Amino acid sequence: MKRLILSVTGTIAGVIALLSFKTQAHPLANAAPLPSAALGEQSTAPATTTPTTQTPTTAPTSSAAPTTRTYLGSSITTRYGVIQVKITVRDKKITDVSFAQLTAFDGRSEQINSHAAPQLLQETLSAQSAKIDTVSGASYTSDGYRQSLQSALDRAGI
């Protein structure tokens, strides 16, 4: 009889433990706008009219106006979220950099991303390359950002 009571109690405790187990939630969309950084003037053309993967075939001549193009980096899934970078290039210079995606799989990652994102964007504009420092405490975000940024720079031919 004692074995039966212990078996039933153990089974009930196991079922309760399984039902109370919480997995990490994956947000479908960010509620807050994604961070962006720009140098000088901001392009007034909407991003949807600018090709994201087209590479200019000829350099603009001195009589033509400089071409501004937007390039989308690869979407990088890290251990704590998804990162995708978008850059705007004018005359082989990065004039704007922003996040097309910056999701976090938990609240702590959101907090880390909100701290790291502006620093990464500003460093990109200063360095004009993907050779930027890792933000302290945000190594996964920094690594994913650099990978996505490099793929956008590769598409831009920079």
Side-chain angles (χ1 to χ4, degrees):
M1 188 67 168
K2 286 184 180 182
R3 288 183 191 173
L4 179 64
I5 293 174
L6 288 174
S7 305
V8 172
T9 305
T11 302
I12 291 172
V15 169
I16 290 172
L18 284 175
L19 292 176
S20 65
F21 182 74
K22 295 181 183 179
T23 60
Q24 294 180 343
H26 296 272
L28 296 177
N30 285 343
L34 297 175
S36 176
L39 275 181
E41 286 186 25
Q42 186 82 3
S43 173
T44 57
T48 57
T49 62
T50 306
T52 57
T53 58
Q54 182 178 356
T55 303
T57 55
T58 59
T61 62
S62 59
S63 62
T67 304
T68 300
R69 292 215 164 100
T70 301
Y71 300 90
L72 196 59
S74 300
S75 179
I76 306 297
T77 302
T78 68
R79 183 176 176 180
Y80 298 105
V82 179
I83 300 166
Q84 188 173 27
V85 177
K86 180 173 69 171
I87 61 171
T88 302
V89 177
R90 181 181 178 120
D91 295 330
K92 298 283 185 181
K93 183 176 181 180
I94 302 169
T95 58
D96 185 25
V97 60
S98 62
F99 287 95
Q101 281 188 77
L102 181 61
T103 61
F105 297 153
D106 58 51
R108 177 71 177 132
S109 295
E110 278 183 36
Q111 187 179 32
I112 290 169
N113 287 349
S114 68
H115 171 73
Q119 291 180 37
L120 293 167
L121 296 172
Q122 287 302 317
E123 278 200 47
T124 301
L125 291 177
S126 297
Q128 290 291 303
S129 73
K131 294 177 183 169
I132 57 175
D133 292 335
T134 298
V135 175
S136 179
S139 57
Y140 287 95
T141 300
S142 298
D143 290 343
Y145 175 84
R146 272 194 298 269
Q147 290 175 31
S148 183
L149 175 61
Q150 186 60 57
S151 70
L153 292 170
D154 291 345
R155 289 179 179 152
I158 297 177

